[in-house]
Amino acid sequence: MADLLDRTEVEEVFRILSEAMPGRTRTAKGPKGQPDAFRSCISCMLSAQSLDRNTATAARALFALATTPEAMLELADEDIAAAIKPCGLYNMKTRNIRAFCETLIAAHGGRVPETREGLMALPGIGRKCADIVLSFTFGADVIAVDTHVHRVCNRIGLAKAKTADVTASQLEARAPDWALRDGHFWLIQFGKRVCTSRAPKCEKCPVSRLCLWYARHGTREQGEAS
Ligand code: SF4
């Protein structure tokens, strides 16, 4: 059996998901709901290994103190750490925030670059953060890949990759152009509602006839799906 769906099948999966899922969330919060690229980057850094509500609490507290790289560098490490404590790993994240702001000012005059390469060259910014900023702040047609999108894509056969970053590259190469704008939303909603981490709802799944995981495992191992 093939490891990946062919392009016609990939397009069919996106067509089905575009009809079955609600689409773009207008009230996105966290890194996706920030008013500018700087705050989106910082919020994304805060979100690492943190629940959405804790990230939001930390971001609110930090942005009450500073909303520009220059103002952020005026803060003491202890003040940054205290503000972002709710999202965990606060000492490491404080170091990343400081390094990010210093590099942003030194290399870009404080302006967040609008390319993936430029974003990923900044301390603390990986592919997922870069793609979220590109998509949600700069309006680029990019499918940002988080843990839900990574899982769903690899189960269905849209991608075959061990890491979310490789899944993102494969999606970029294989998804139809028309799906790049809102594909992130369809996949993430599908991953939360249907193709859940444990016990995916294969019996009610609109793409089960195309899904490679389902073709291999059927319903026998749903509770152990990876
Ligand atoms: S058939 Fe099951 S594993 Fe495949 S996409 Fe649907 S819910 Fe996920």
Side-chain angles (χ1 to χ4, degrees):
M1 182 183 296
D3 286 332
L4 285 166
L5 299 182
D6 66 29
R7 285 186 184 273
T8 304
E9 293 166 329
V10 169
E11 181 140 12
E12 178 68 356
V13 167
F14 276 106
R15 188 191 62 73
I16 293 169
L17 294 183
S18 73
E19 292 171 359
M21 294 294 121
R24 185 163 284 259
T25 308
R26 302 285 167 199
T27 54
K29 294 186 173 64
K32 302 173 190 174
Q34 295 299 326
D36 58 56
F38 175 71
R39 277 178 273 190
S40 183
C41 286
I42 297 288
S43 185
C44 216
M45 293 159 79
L46 297 179
S47 71
Q49 296 182 49
S50 169
L51 296 173
D52 288 351
R53 65 173 178 276
N54 295 337
T55 302
T57 301
R60 254 197 317 277
L62 183 61
F63 297 146
L65 301 176
T67 57
T68 65
E70 293 82 1
M72 200 66 77
L73 290 178
E74 293 289 317
L75 300 175
D77 282 355
E78 301 76 47
D79 294 332
I80 296 175
I84 68 173
K85 200 165 187 175
C87 69
L89 303 174
Y90 49 89
N91 286 326
M92 183 196 76
K93 290 176 182 177
T94 295
R95 285 195 296 275
N96 281 345
I97 288 168
R98 187 167 291 285
F100 170 81
C101 292
E102 287 170 350
T103 305
L104 192 59
I105 291 170
H108 301 283
R111 265 182 75 89
V112 175
E114 298 190 21
T115 64
R116 181 181 292 138
E117 295 70 26
L119 283 160
M120 289 180 67
L122 294 167
I125 302 295
R127 168 98 191 220
K128 185 183 84 170
C129 281
D131 284 353
I132 284 175
V133 175
L134 287 175
S135 174
F136 290 88
T137 303
F138 296 131
D141 291 345
V142 171
I143 297 179
V145 175
D146 71 352
T147 179
H148 295 291
V149 176
H150 175 59
R151 178 184 68 251
V152 165
C153 288
N154 280 275
R155 279 188 187 156
I156 298 175
L158 300 176
K160 180 171 172 53
K162 289 205 179 338
T163 67
D165 287 4
V166 177
T167 292
S169 296
Q170 293 182 357
L171 267 188
E172 187 165 48
R174 308 186 79 238
D177 288 347
W178 58 263
L180 296 179
R181 178 130 199 86
D182 287 347
H184 169 81
F185 290 95
W186 302 328
L187 290 164
I188 207 168
Q189 289 158 356
F190 182 66
K192 288 181 176 178
R193 296 167 186 216
V194 182
C195 194
T196 45
S197 177
R198 291 189 59 78
K201 301 172 181 63
C202 300
E203 296 307 311
K204 297 178 180 171
C205 175
V207 297
S208 59
R209 69 182 168 79
L210 293 158
C211 174
L212 295 181
W213 189 92
Y214 190 65
R216 286 196 188 93
H217 304 287
T219 57
R220 286 180 295 112
E221 301 171 40
Q222 285 186 28
E224 297 157 19
S226 59

